[in-house]
Amino acid sequence: MNAISNRYDFLLVFDVANGNPNGDPDAGNLPRLDPETNKGLVTDVCLKRKIRNFAELAKSGEEGFHIYVQEGAILNEKHREAYKALSPDDTKVQKAAKLNPKDDDEAKKLREFMCQNFFDVRTFGAVMSTGINCGQVKGPVQMTFANSVEPIMPLEISITRMAATNEAEKKKRAEGEVEGVERIDNRTMGRKHIVPYGLYVAKGFISAKFAERTGFSETDLEFFFDALGNMFEHDRSAARGEMATRKLIVFKHDNALGNAPAHTLFDRVKIHRQIGGEVREIDGRLDNYPPARQFTDYAITIDRDGLPDGVEIIEKL
């Protein structure tokens, strides 16, 4: 399939209610936030993980849509697949702990194999030089951290567990002797972190020039946009509460290099607070209006006047 020939920039708007969209392991799994502004953060890695998970579900077993970065996967064994495809009769390839391409031509073929077979390599790129060396690929799709529109207020909720882990714990808890465990009516205490409500915005960039190198096609593009719209629907858990993609606004350029800088296009999208039918500017002061608790507390507008020649706005959602 032919690679895409147009550049794209996009804004992804999603929200969370009573959940933790992306916990920070360095802060006791509290929702990530910017300490200067208290605005919430969701990493690009977190969003890519959800896209990969959706691809695994939607395209399971389909040729060209295998996933390179999987939980518990051994990456070198996936690199070995490329060497096996190029040299199926080479016994060294089957067992060697380290492999390197013989020349530039073989290195190119190894990269092409990985791009053709693994959707996330073709889309996001990958560093594949760990032991069994398949080189490095820069993907056409790049994403930023998502930032919340307003400061978030993370809450720490206490929870209890009535069941015991084993017979010994059950006996000790009954006697109130479990060291280091809070005891309330013989229940083990725990903690859960949530954001009551937060609206987040991530920015994305799709390069047609890098797509030429990986083979990222129109079919891949449509599937990628589909994944952005549906990835939260198949990522439900008690920890994440309610998460949903609310808007996907795409700026399509009529050529590979683009017709306008991405930041000028993103500036055309404005998000305001909507209170009692009145639209207000967001000034960052939570005491100026009641806290948002649902998507309808916001109004999203797109300035289409004076759009640069060759740029088309597509609202996917």
Side-chain angles (χ1 to χ4, degrees):
M1 288 184 286
N2 294 329
I4 61 171
S5 56
N6 302 84
R7 187 185 117 189
Y8 295 85
D9 303 300
F10 64 89
L11 275 178
L12 173 70
V13 181
F14 62 92
D15 63 358
V16 58
N18 297 321
N20 186 349
N22 187 198
D24 185 349
D26 289 330
N29 208 44
L30 278 165
R32 295 182 190 272
L33 53 78
D34 180 336
E36 289 187 332
T37 64
N38 280 340
K39 289 187 176 182
L41 299 173
V42 173
T43 66
D44 62 315
V45 175
C46 175
L47 296 173
K48 289 175 182 177
R49 177 73 269 154
K50 297 181 192 309
I51 293 167
R52 289 183 170 103
N53 290 345
F54 179 80
E56 279 191 272
L57 290 173
K59 298 287 188 178
S60 178
E62 192 169 323
E63 193 68 28
F65 282 89
H66 302 300
I67 298 300
Y68 174 67
V69 180
Q70 293 174 297
E71 184 176 356
I74 301 173
L75 298 182
N76 274 342
E77 292 307 311
K78 298 196 175 185
H79 303 169
R80 194 187 303 276
E81 292 178 27
Y83 280 90
K84 286 180 179 179
L86 266 61
S87 306
D89 300 323
D90 189 340
T91 56
K92 178 185 175 184
V93 167
Q94 310 294 327
K95 298 180 180 179
K98 288 189 176 182
L99 291 169
N100 286 293
K102 299 181 184 70
D103 51 38
D104 290 344
D105 183 58
E106 184 177 55
K108 181 181 178 182
K109 290 179 179 178
L110 290 168
R111 290 194 300 270
E112 287 176 349
F113 176 91
M114 297 301 290
C115 289
Q116 289 169 6
N117 285 273
F118 295 97
F119 171 74
D120 51 340
V121 175
R122 191 165 65 248
T123 304
F124 303 124
V127 177
M128 303 174 290
S129 53
T130 54
I132 298 178
N133 184 5
C134 280
Q136 183 172 338
V137 175
K138 183 171 182 178
V141 179
Q142 302 298 327
M143 298 176 68
T144 68
F145 280 28
N147 290 268
S148 67
V149 174
E150 294 183 274
I152 61 171
M153 186 68 68
L155 299 181
E156 184 178 59
I157 308 296
S158 295
I159 57 176
T160 61
R161 187 187 71 190
M162 297 180 66
T165 305
N166 51 50
E167 188 67 33
E169 182 186 331
K170 179 180 178 180
K171 182 179 178 181
K172 287 183 178 181
R173 191 192 294 134
E175 298 169 355
E177 297 175 359
V178 180
E179 185 178 349
V181 175
E182 296 181 49
R183 181 174 174 273
I184 299 178
D185 295 332
N186 293 330
R187 300 182 186 184
T188 302
M189 299 295 293
R191 297 286 183 271
K192 196 171 187 177
H193 303 290
I194 68 166
V195 176
Y197 185 82
L199 187 68
Y200 290 76
V201 179
K203 299 171 183 176
F205 316 88
I206 305 176
S207 166
K209 287 300 182 181
F210 284 112
E212 292 174 5
R213 302 180 187 181
T214 69
F216 185 81
S217 67
E218 292 290 343
T219 299
D220 294 325
L221 179 71
E222 285 307 310
F223 177 72
F224 175 72
F225 287 147
D226 185 39
L228 289 177
N230 292 285
M231 59 185 177
F232 298 118
E233 299 302 314
H234 303 278
D235 189 57
R236 303 297 184 190
S237 76
R240 280 184 277 281
E242 295 179 70
M243 296 188 69
T245 299
R246 294 296 188 169
K247 283 283 184 181
L248 178 55
I249 302 167
V250 179
F251 298 91
K252 179 180 179 180
H253 303 253
D254 70 1
N255 60 60
L257 294 178
N259 303 83
H263 69 274
T264 63
L265 300 177
F266 293 148
D267 287 345
R268 291 176 170 271
V269 180
K270 302 295 183 184
I271 302 179
H272 300 93
R273 283 298 301 274
Q274 191 164 257
I275 303 169
E278 179 186 349
V279 176
R280 300 188 191 177
E281 294 283 344
I282 295 175
D283 59 13
R285 289 179 56 87
L286 294 177
D287 55 351
N288 281 356
Y289 32 70
R293 285 295 181 265
Q294 55 192 351
F295 180 63
T296 53
D297 289 335
Y298 292 96
I300 300 178
T301 59
I302 305 172
D303 180 9
R304 299 174 183 270
D305 294 336
L307 198 64
D309 292 339
V311 176
E312 177 187 0
I313 298 176
I314 305 170
E315 290 190 67
K316 292 288 183 179
L317 289 173

